[in-house]
Structure formats: C-alpha cells, structure tokens
C-alpha cells in the first residue's frame, strides 16, 4: 500500500510535507507507537527508502517493532516550504516544527529516530520542557529515542574562535560554485559532480569501493540534486554550528526513564562526518543510553549513512530489540 501523504502548516506559516507508512494499522493496532524518522542536513524524507518499507511490512504479533512510520521534509527543503518572508532556520525551530506536527496528528506516545542533524533536533525536542527561557511542555510522550550518526555539541566542528574548522562535518560546494557557470545554468551532470564529494562523504572507502554499490550510489546522486535548495542547506549547516542544547540535569543531558525516553545510539567507526568521538560524548552525557554492538549487526566499521549498510532486516532486528528490551546501562 502506498504511503499516505499530506501537508501541515505550522503556527508560523511553514508548510511541512509528510508521509505515513502503515497508516492502515492505526485503527487495527492502536497500542503501537508510531515511529518517526527525523532527517539530517540536506536530507529528504525519501532518503530512508531502503528501511521504511521493510519496517512498514511488519504486522502486529510478529514483533515489537513499530508498523506506523512518519517521515517528513524539514521546512525549506523537499516538498516543504518556508514561511513567507521568514527564512529563519534553527535547531529549536525545527524541533518545534516536529512537536507541532506530532500534536496535529494526535499521537500520544511515539518513538523518534533522529539521523545526523535530525538527532540534534530529536534531543532538542525532548528538552523543550527544560528550555531555560521558554519551556514548552510536550503534549505527547517520547518513550524511545534512536540517535544515529549524531552529536550533542558542535564543539568538534569549531576552532578556538568559534568558526567551522573544516576538519569534520558535512562539506558542501561553495554557494558561488552552485550558481550559473559562465552565464548559463549548470547541467544535471555538472550538479552531480559538484555534490559527489558531499554524497561520498557519507560512506566509508570499503562501501565506495564495492562494485555492488555502484548502482545505488548513482541513484543517490540523481536524487541529491532534486528539491534541495542550496540556501536552505547553508542555513541548516549554520544551525548545526550554533546550536546549544539545555541539559536536564548536571548528570544527564536527557531525562532518564520513566520521565524521559530510553536511548539507543547508532554510530559507525567509519563515520567521516560525525566522528566516533561524538558517540563517546553522547554516552558520557546520557548515562542511561547504550550503543549498538558488533554482535547485533556485522561490524561497527560503517559510515555515516548507517541505513545504507547491511540488510535492512538486520536494522529492523536492532530496533525491535531496543523497543522491547529492558533499560540497559551504556557501554562501549
């Protein structure tokens, strides 16, 4: 069955386009908590195309995995729009977008999986009630959080003056390089060559060197040049350099269960965008979290785009185990 697609207008006028896979199960299995994918920088909702259909195929009684999945485009990218006359983009704004969208859908309990920038947005969402200036209570409960290829502080990206150090993080073509060349618009092939380094940065050398992935990489390249405005991506990148998450307490960034969600970290040692040190920091700052272990998948030497590695059924098993397991202490 095709995903249900709709739009939602936020209080400040942004138009969010979203899809729900498995919507037909909402009435059949109301006890199931919807699973929400939160995109990373430059991502669109279609970028989870290998994983979403596999999870959505799961039926009640087969496992604890969620069968109702929400994916959406952040404001200003894909099929979503910025408010008229307002180009502001920040982690807090995008977290409130998600809060308003979940509230609009009327869901009372959810599981949220945030990838890369989406992981920062997810943490900000959990922490909205603890905002030091304008706390915002959530009209729903987040029971589980998956933080994939993400971080909790931009410090690893910054030099001593607070500017991007250029050593880590997602690297994009310069804005002037993506504009018309020699008085004409760039061709699709020229656009793809410009974004190729950015796309390839999401994978490790082993994945890129495997001829079996050649067709998949070409497909991702084709998709990368569609409905991803450069100015929005630049605004997202600036948001990632400027965010500062409030902390729940002096001992934990996020509130532990039963107040807050259980937390699973997915992070590859071959991640060239958010290094392994980011996962270590998450584990230190969220003591009740745990990280996916080698015996749950094949190995930990995967790149940033974790969902493109291994068989998708393997990731479903990881998520299924996390959602159904008792709380575990974080260990590397």
């Amino acid at each position: 069955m095709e995903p249900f697609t709709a739009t939602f207008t936020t209080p400040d006028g942004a138009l969010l386009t979203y899809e729900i896979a498995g919507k037909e199960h909402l009435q059949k299995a109301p006890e199931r908590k919807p699973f929400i994918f939160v995109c990373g920088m430059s991502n669109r909702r279609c970028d989870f195309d290998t994983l979403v259909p596999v999870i959505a195929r799961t039926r009640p009684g087969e496992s604890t995995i969620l069968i109702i999945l929400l994916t959406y485009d952040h404001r200003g990218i894909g099929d979503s729009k910025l408010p008229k006359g307002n180009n502001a983009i920040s982690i807090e704004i995008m977290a409130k977008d998600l809060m308003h969208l979940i509230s609009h859908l009327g869901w009372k309990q959810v599981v949220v999986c945030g990838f890369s920038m989406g992981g920062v947005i997810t943490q900000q969402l959990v922490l909205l009630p603890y905002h030091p200036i304008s706390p915002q209570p959530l009209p729903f409960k987040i029971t589980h959080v998956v933080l994939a290829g993400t971080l909790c502080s931009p410090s690893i990206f910054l030099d001593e003056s607070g500017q991007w150090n250029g050593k880590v993080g997602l690297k994009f073509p310069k804005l002037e390089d993506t504009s018309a060349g020699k008085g004409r618009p760039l061709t699709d092939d020229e656009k793809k060559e410009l974004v190729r380094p950015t796309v390839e940065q999401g994978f490790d050398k082993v994945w890129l060197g495997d001829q079996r992935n050649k067709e998949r990489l070409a497909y991702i390249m084709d998709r990368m040049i569609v409905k991803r405005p450069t100015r929005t991506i630049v605004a997202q990148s600036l948001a990632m350099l400027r965010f500062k998450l409030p902390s729940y307490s002096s001992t934990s960034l996020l509130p532990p269960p039963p107040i807050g969600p259980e937390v699973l970290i997915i992070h590859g040692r071959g991640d060239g965008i958010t290094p392994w040190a980011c996962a270590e920091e998450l584990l230190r700052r969220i003591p009740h979290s745990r990280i996916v272990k080698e015996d749950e998948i094949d190995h930990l030497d995967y790149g940033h785009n974790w969902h493109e590695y291994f068989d998708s059924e393997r990731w479903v098993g990881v998520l299924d185990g996390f959602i159904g397991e008792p709380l575990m202490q974080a260990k590397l």
Side-chain angles (χ1 to χ4, degrees), residues 67-78:
I67 53 175
I68 301 121
L69 294 102
L70 169 70
T71 54
Y72 70 103
D73 291 336
H74 293 301
R75 59 172 58 202
I77 201 165

Side-chain angles (χ1 to χ4, degrees), residues 139-318:
F140 49 81
K141 182 175 179 59
I142 304 171
T143 63
H144 295 72
V145 157
V146 180
L147 300 176
T150 192
L151 64 160
C152 58
S153 166
S155 59
I156 197 167
F157 299 147
L158 306 176
D159 60 22
E160 293 180 356
S161 64
Q163 301 299 310
W164 181 51
N165 57 31
K167 297 178 181 179
V168 294
L170 199 54
K171 300 174 183 178
F172 293 98
K174 294 180 180 179
L175 191 59
E176 57 267 26
D177 294 338
T178 62
S179 59
K182 296 181 179 180
R184 60 169 177 79
L186 297 176
T187 66
D188 284 351
D189 285 342
E190 288 171 332
K191 291 177 184 177
K192 282 187 277 189
E193 285 310 305
L194 272 175
V195 302
R196 180 178 294 277
T198 302
V199 173
E200 292 185 348
Q201 197 184 359
F203 302 93
D204 69 317
K205 292 180 180 179
V206 174
W207 193 97
L208 291 170
D210 191 331
Q211 288 300 306
R212 292 172 296 181
N213 296 324
K214 186 176 181 180
E215 185 176 342
R216 178 63 181 172
L217 181 62
Y219 176 75
I220 294 171
M221 291 286 296
D222 288 340
R223 195 171 61 187
M224 186 66 184
I225 64 171
V226 180
K227 295 184 178 180
R228 301 174 200 253
T230 302
R231 293 189 183 279
T232 295
I233 296 172
V234 169
Q236 290 179 345
S237 67
L238 290 174
M240 282 294 287
L241 294 177
R242 296 168 177 169
F243 80 88
K244 185 177 182 180
L245 298 173
S247 290
Y248 167 71
S249 71
S250 60
T251 57
S252 181
L253 174 65
L254 300 183
I259 300 170
E262 298 191 24
V263 180
L264 176 70
I265 297 169
I266 296 176
H267 213 110
R269 291 187 179 274
D271 194 325
I273 295 174
T274 50
W276 183 254
C278 295
E280 295 176 317
E281 184 180 12
L282 282 167
L283 286 165
R284 285 195 305 271
R285 296 192 62 190
I286 311 174
H288 63 277
S289 66
R290 81 163 183 87
I291 197 163
V292 172
K293 302 178 181 64
E294 195 165 10
D295 59 1
E296 294 179 87
I297 43 179
D298 290 333
H299 57 80
L300 296 181
D301 297 320
Y302 51 90
H304 189 64
N305 293 331
W306 59 281
H307 51 288
E308 297 287 350
Y309 287 75
F310 317 120
D311 186 273
S312 294
E313 295 285 358
R314 204 69 176 267
W315 285 120
V316 171
V318 169

Side-chain angles (χ1 to χ4, degrees), residues 2-14:
E2 289 296 315
F4 169 80
T5 304
T7 60
F8 164 70
T9 302
T10 66
D12 70 347

Side-chain angles (χ1 to χ4, degrees), residues 8-16 73-77 79-90 93-94 97 100 232:
F8 164 70
T9 302
T10 66
D12 70 347
L15 182 75
L16 303 182
D73 291 336
H74 293 301
R75 59 172 58 202
I77 201 165
D79 296 312
S80 294
K81 308 294 182 184
L82 289 165
K84 290 184 179 180
N86 180 3
N87 297 326
I89 291 176
S90 70
I93 287 172
M94 290 185 283
D97 283 348
H100 292 308
T232 295

